[in-house]
Amino acid sequence: MDIPTKVYVTNPMAELKKVPGTLLAVSPLGFYEVNIAFGSNTHSMLLPVAETVLLAQEPVLAPPPGFELER
């Protein structure tokens, strides 16, 4: 996943469920830095990796050339 990228954010602690946002960074300390729009304002949030689900807004339609799955 490239950064920045458009994602849907789910985090029960922040009461977020599939909220559109932009992933800006993944901290080595265990946090995602995400921009999320609330009304007409955009806010930067730090969300714990362990309690957050990110779903890319763009679907993966076909595997990239040279992609192999090891089983």
Side-chain angles (χ1 to χ4, degrees), residues 4-58:
T5 190
K6 300 288 185 185
V7 294
Y8 293 111
V9 181
T10 300
N11 181 292
M13 281 182 19
E15 297 182 6
L16 301 173
K17 186 170 184 178
K18 284 189 162 178
V19 175
T22 304
L23 175 63
L24 301 176
V26 180
S27 165
L29 300 175
F31 292 92
Y32 294 121
E33 181 180 355
V34 182
N35 278 355
I36 296 179
F38 289 104
S40 62
N41 298 317
T42 300
H43 296 271
S44 183
M45 297 183 75
L46 295 176
L47 300 168
V49 169
E51 298 166 12
T52 304
V53 175
L54 299 181
L55 174 66
Q57 288 184 10
E58 293 295 319

